[in-house]
Each structure stands twice: as structure tokens, then as C-alpha cells.
Amino acid sequence: MRYVVGYSANARGHDAVNLAVALARGRGASLDLVLVVPEVQQFGAAHAPKAGFENLLNEQARQWLDEALALVPAEVPTQAHIRSGDSDAQALIEAAEELGADVLVIGASSTGLFRRFTIGSVASALLHASTVPVALAPHGYYRQEALTRISCGLGTRAGAEKLLDFAIGMAANRAVPLRVVSLLALDGGDPGAADAAREYAEKTVAAAAPVSPSGVQLAATTDVVVAQGRSIEEAVDGLDWEDGEVLVIGSSRLAQGRSIFLGSTANRILRALPVPMLVVPSGYELKHQNPSTSNDTSGEAPQ
């Protein structure tokens, strides 16, 4: 298991490292801290200091990565990498693909207030283009303890079953409870919408594959919640969130195959969400394997 962390030498980078450690604990995962530095443009013959500038840039990057490594507990295997590129997002995506990452972890912008998310340009690009799941830490995320609960935001569009399957595997691999959440903005709408949403969620949960190919129980989904309010933001605010919780959501239907596109509903959820969010690319496939039955992780659910 490998998680790539998009690191920057600021509070946003620290938030990302903390979330990555929390995700790694209980999974035996290793971390790859990736710091992207600008590509040094070719200078003309009269500008000989190009090599010297590159050396200074890389020396500073190594110092920042040493500081990042010091944030990670000794029991979590971690490597540091320096990448260069004109686009931080593209460099991180390429690193995640090259390193075989199961999740790409980033931090929200430091301008977020009241533990809310503010999406910067790099995060926005990743949330519209990544081919692996992206975990986003809210501003000020401090926890490094293992997760305590997984929530799955379940919609009614195509792909909900695959998303639930992903969340079941993620909860089972960590031996934590799974909560299935439907968010409704009613505001004078159909009074029967909440009952319909609950019925759909319960049917989807009942139809989900709760066992591995070997027949070992993977997860027991015990909690289905329908949260409603005058807006999506109010519905999110009305839910009880644990400090050690992560919300798993799917990509918009507008996403290309195996890539992420963050839709309008997900953006509205982000504005109110006090816990990390993990966004799963469209068409993302996984295979379940009970983590206690084998040391071979080649077929494991990759969370």
C-alpha cells in the first residue's frame, strides 16, 4: 500500500502529512512525500548560473522534505521525492501513477475558515483530473491517529454501487464502522423525498457485496442516515461528525473514465464539511481481499 502526499512547506503541507499518517495507520501503508519544484528554464549563454540555481533549489527542497519527514512517526515507512514541472498538479498525478499510489493526499488552502475547505488551484486541478482517489485534508487538520469511521455519501446516479463497494472495503480493511449518508436539500420540496432516499440507500446497501471472494465477511454496514436541510450545506451541518472520520464521495457523472470531476453538489458539501473528504474517480475498480488472510497485497482493496 502506497499513499502519495503532495507536500508544500506550509500549513497546507502539514495538514496533508497528518491525514496521510492517519490513513496509513491500520493499513501498514507506506508514504511517498512529493515536493514539486519549478522547472528551471533554459538560460542563454550569457546566463551561466542555471546549474547553480538548480542546485540551490534542490538543496532547499531537500531541507523542506527533511522537515516533512520529521512530522511522520517512525513506524510509518516514508520516502521523500523531488519532482520538477510547470504544473504541480500534473507532476503529482505523474508521480502517483509512477509510484503505483493507491491514494493521493493533499491539503486545502490555508484561507479556509471554521475548519471548512477552500480549494486552491492545485487541489482544484487534481480534483478534476486525477486517475487515483484524492484525499483532501481540511485546513488545520491535526490528527495522526488511525481513522475511527468511514462515511459514504451515497447518491442515486449510476456508479453508486461501485462507490459503496469501495467504502465497504475501506472500512473493512481498517475494522471501523461504515455509515451510509444521503444528503437532501428539501426547501419546500417533496415531503416524501427523505423516505425515498432512505429506501434507496437501504436497498443499495443490501445489494452490496459484503463478503470477499474467499467468503470472509468484509464489513457490516450498520448505519444508514438521511440528512436533510434547506440546503446541502445545512444538511451536512446537521450531521454528527467524528474527529477521526473521512467522507468518501464519487466523482461527477461528467468525469471521463477513471478520472475525477468534482461536481456542484460535492463542492457544496466541501463548503460545510469539517472532516477530510476522499473523492473516488469515475469508473475506479477495486478487488476485495480480507487483509487478515494473506500477506500478499496484490489483490487488496487499495485504501
Side-chain angles (χ1 to χ4, degrees), residues 11 19 26-27 75 82 85 90 97 116 133 140 147 161 211-212 221 230 234 268 272:
L19 176 56
R27 291 294 291 124
E75 69 270 19
I82 300 172
Q90 186 58 39
E97 292 175 347
R116 299 331 194 207
L147 301 182
E161 298 84 358
V211 295
S212 69
T221 304
R230 290 169 297 180
E234 187 175 283
R268 292 169 65 191

Side-chain angles (χ1 to χ4, degrees), residues 93-256:
I93 291 172
E94 290 173 357
E97 292 175 347
E98 177 187 320
L99 295 168
D102 299 289
V103 177
L104 177 55
V105 187
I106 55 175
S109 171
S110 59
T111 58
L113 300 175
F114 307 113
R115 296 186 301 162
R116 299 331 194 207
F117 288 86
T118 300
I119 303 300
S121 58
V122 175
S124 178
L126 288 173
L127 289 171
H128 287 78
S130 177
T131 55
V132 301
V134 173
L136 185 63
H139 174 53
Y141 191 77
Y142 65 92
R143 280 184 56 91
Q144 289 196 341
E145 295 81 14
L147 301 182
T148 61
R149 183 169 68 180
I150 306 298
S151 279
C152 177
L154 193 68
T156 58
R157 295 192 176 114
E161 298 84 358
K162 287 185 178 181
L163 179 67
L164 179 59
D165 196 39
F166 182 99
I168 288 173
M170 188 173 179
N173 286 334
R174 290 169 170 77
V176 298
L178 173 65
R179 178 173 68 162
V180 176
V181 175
S182 290
L183 299 170
L184 295 179
L186 296 181
D187 196 17
D190 182 1
D195 290 338
R198 177 178 293 279
E199 181 180 356
Y200 174 81
E202 290 175 346
K203 284 183 178 180
T204 304
V205 168
V211 295
S212 69
S214 62
V216 178
Q217 184 75 22
L218 281 178
T221 304
T222 59
D223 198 8
V224 175
V225 176
V226 177
Q228 52 189 302
R230 290 169 297 180
S231 66
I232 290 294
E233 293 88 342
E234 187 175 283
V236 172
D237 262 334
L239 283 171
D240 171 46
W241 298 98
E242 297 182 1
D243 286 344
E245 187 165 6
V246 167
L247 174 65
V248 178
I249 67 167
S251 182
S252 166
R253 68 188 187 281
L254 298 177
Q256 301 297 317

